[in-house]
Amino acid sequence: MATATSPLAQAADVRQLRTRRSRKDVLGLSDTRATAHPTLLQAFQTLAQAGYHVSQTGPTHWIIRGRTPLPEFHCYSEGEIQQFAASRT
């Protein structure tokens, strides 16, 4: 049996996603529901093949750079790195 969500609940979900993306998550990396890379290692390999360099600066902080120093993308969870790899390559 499928459960249906109310239109009010759906509208709240949409507002929450818009708020998160526009204010805190400009690249939309926090939404990891459809990540195509099951492991962090596979995400690193995919990014390396696409020409990105990933450096870890802290326990939960990675910086992703392309062939030039800028732009650089800061990720604060493994899920964000996996989402970045899935969306950029």
Side-chain angles (χ1 to χ4, degrees):
M1 179 184 337
T3 59
T5 58
S6 71
L8 183 60
Q10 289 174 350
D13 288 343
V14 169
R15 279 194 306 272
Q16 181 182 9
L17 284 174
R18 281 190 196 135
T19 301
R20 184 182 311 136
R21 284 189 183 145
S22 65
R23 293 184 185 164
K24 296 181 182 177
D25 189 14
V26 176
L27 298 176
L29 297 177
S30 64
D31 183 16
T32 58
R33 291 176 286 180
T35 302
H37 301 284
T39 67
L40 187 60
L41 178 60
Q42 288 176 338
F44 285 148
Q45 291 171 341
T46 301
L47 289 170
Q49 290 171 352
Y52 289 99
H53 174 72
V54 181
S55 59
Q56 187 170 8
T57 61
T60 58
H61 183 207
W62 294 268
I63 298 175
I64 302 172
R65 291 185 180 100
R67 291 176 178 85
T68 59
L70 291 177
E72 63 182 30
F73 305 96
H74 294 257
C75 295
Y76 298 95
S77 74
E78 293 179 7
E80 287 182 353
I81 292 173
Q82 292 167 336
Q83 184 67 22
F84 184 89
S87 66
R88 297 289 177 219
T89 57

